């Protein structure tokens, strides 16, 4: 069972054509979107809206930890509808965002499912179970008449079952921290992600160092992503970093886009 999505050996040459196409871009992805998590994000989103030129990709969890049913909350659905009208994108992000499969039976799975994360919902699922949850997510989006192009697994972790299920469903892309993957053949495109870890003070301190080093390392790439989480919004250091990073990129002349904007652009310029 694979811990992350294995890149297709046909690494796309579009990366190179994109690099030569001009303006650099960045993607801001808000993870773990649900009614319970929205209050953490609200001040940040209001700040982005005040900038006037930042598009957001919302990774929506249908029922976060079985405690926050996104599609049974009329006010929350209205919020997401308005975000679509603003030009943002909504993405399916797991279904429950928690790993409730039977306990791991080997060291590798124990590390991935108990040490690395306890939220890798789609890591241990068999193909039928993964397909069932994906189809339920698709149906919820369909009931709202919302476009749905992408699926991102919780913690970016997918096993072989989820991978096989995705090949048979009408998603256009998925992603892990380093790549986008065009579906159904998982053709890979390098689009790295900045991400914070806020679980401990030392992690927050190191996140600033790591992200600044990564930002400089990636500064010549055509596109980078920022993967934000609700816990980031609860710490001034993390929240302020994201705001300043986005302001810096805009001041450098980079343009904000959603994930599907990016995919449309690269598939129409080749």
């Amino acid at each position: 069972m694979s811990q992350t999505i294995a890149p297709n050996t046909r690494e796309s040459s579009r990366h190179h054509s994109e690099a030569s196409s001009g303006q650099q871009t960045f993607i801001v992805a808000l993870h773990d979107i649900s009614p319970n998590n929205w209050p953490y994000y609200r001040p940040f989103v209001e700040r982005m809206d005040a900038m006037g030129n930042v598009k957001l990709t919302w990774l929506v969890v249908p029922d976060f930890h079985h405690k926050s049913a996104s599609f049974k909350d009329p006010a929350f659905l209205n919020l997401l509808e308005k975000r679509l009208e603003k030009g943002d994108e909504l993405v399916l992000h797991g279904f429950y965002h928690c790993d409730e499969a039977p306990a791991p039976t080997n060291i590798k799975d124990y590390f991935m499912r108990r040490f690395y994360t306890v939220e890798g919902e789609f890591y241990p699922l068999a193909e039928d179970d993964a397909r069932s949850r994906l189809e339920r997510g698709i149906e919820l989006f369909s009931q709202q008449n919302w476009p749905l192009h992408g699926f991102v697994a919780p913690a970016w972790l997918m096993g072989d079952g989820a991978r096989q299920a995705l090949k048979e469903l009408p998603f256009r892309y998925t992603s892990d921290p380093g790549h986008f993957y065009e579906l159904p053949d998982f053709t890979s495109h390098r689009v790295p992600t900045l991400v914070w870890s806020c679980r401990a003070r030392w992690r927050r301190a190191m996140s600033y160092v790591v992200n600044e080093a990564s930002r400089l390392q990636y500064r010549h790439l055509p596109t980078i992503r920022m993967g934000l989480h609700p816990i980031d919004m609860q710490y001034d250091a993390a929240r302020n970093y994201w705001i300043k990073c986005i302001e810096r990129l805009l001041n450098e002349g980079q343009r904000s886009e959603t994930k599907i904007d990016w995919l449309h652009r690269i598939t129409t310029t080749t």
Side-chain angles (χ1 to χ4, degrees):
M1 188 177 295
S2 58
Q3 64 198 53
T4 57
I5 306 167
N8 190 304
T9 54
R10 296 190 299 109
E11 182 78 28
S12 174
S13 62
R14 291 175 184 146
H15 173 85
H16 304 291
S17 63
E18 184 190 1
S20 62
S21 64
Q23 187 178 26
Q24 291 176 295
T25 64
F26 65 90
I27 295 167
V28 180
L30 307 181
H31 287 237
D32 307 351
I33 294 296
S34 67
N36 285 2
N37 286 331
W38 165 237
Y40 298 119
Y41 277 122
R42 182 193 295 269
F44 176 85
V45 171
E46 291 174 348
R47 182 69 176 268
M48 296 298 102
D49 287 348
M51 292 183 186
N53 51 357
V54 178
K55 301 176 75 172
L56 302 171
T57 300
W58 300 61
L59 275 58
V60 180
V61 183
D63 191 1
F64 190 80
H65 289 203
H66 297 275
K67 298 177 180 178
S68 188
S70 298
F71 291 85
K72 294 182 179 180
D73 187 321
F76 188 68
L77 293 175
N78 185 57
L79 164 71
L80 296 182
E81 182 76 31
K82 290 181 177 178
R83 300 314 304 189
L84 281 173
E85 292 172 0
K86 286 179 66 70
D88 290 355
E89 180 188 1
L90 306 181
V91 174
L92 181 63
H93 187 39
F95 199 92
Y96 299 114
H97 207 288
C98 54
D99 177 356
E100 301 171 305
T105 58
N106 59 62
I107 293 175
K108 176 186 175 184
D109 284 359
Y110 184 87
F111 175 83
M112 298 306 300
R113 297 176 55 202
R114 294 295 184 267
F115 181 78
Y116 177 72
T117 184
V118 295
E119 296 191 310
E121 176 186 5
F122 277 74
Y123 178 81
L125 293 182
E127 182 178 347
D128 287 347
D129 293 331
R131 183 185 300 106
S132 176
R133 296 193 192 191
L134 291 167
E135 289 176 340
R136 289 165 65 194
I138 291 170
E139 177 60 23
L140 289 171
F141 272 70
S142 178
Q143 289 171 3
Q144 300 300 317
N145 292 315
W146 289 347
L148 178 59
H149 307 286
F151 170 77
V152 176
W156 287 295
L157 293 182
M158 290 206 304
D160 291 337
R163 181 184 170 93
Q164 292 302 315
L166 272 183
K167 291 180 178 180
E168 303 171 6
L169 294 170
F171 292 99
R172 293 193 58 190
Y173 72 83
T174 187
S175 63
D176 66 18
H179 295 80
F180 276 133
Y181 299 91
E182 285 187 76
L183 297 173
D185 60 355
F186 283 85
T187 299
S188 65
H189 305 265
R190 187 187 179 209
V191 186
T193 305
L194 305 181
V195 62
W196 270 62
S197 178
C198 290
R199 286 185 292 171
R201 180 175 295 180
W202 71 268
R203 286 178 176 267
R204 295 192 292 275
M206 284 303 299
S207 288
Y208 178 86
V209 175
V210 170
N211 277 286
E212 278 299 279
S214 296
R215 184 181 63 82
L216 293 173
Q217 177 186 355
Y218 303 148
R219 68 186 183 276
H220 299 304
L221 293 181
T223 304
I224 63 168
R225 287 179 286 161
M226 283 163 271
L228 283 62
H229 292 80
I231 194 172
D232 299 357
M233 304 297 110
Q234 300 173 54
Y235 292 94
D236 290 345
R239 183 180 61 255
N240 292 337
Y241 177 82
W242 291 126
I243 292 171
K244 291 177 180 177
C245 184
I246 292 165
E247 288 176 338
R248 181 185 297 115
L249 293 175
L250 290 171
N251 289 335
E252 291 173 355
Q254 297 200 32
R255 178 173 55 83
S256 170
E257 63 183 349
T258 65
K259 291 187 173 186
I260 192 59
D261 289 341
W262 177 88
L263 185 60
H264 284 155
R265 180 166 55 80
I266 67 155
T267 54
T268 57
T269 56
T270 58

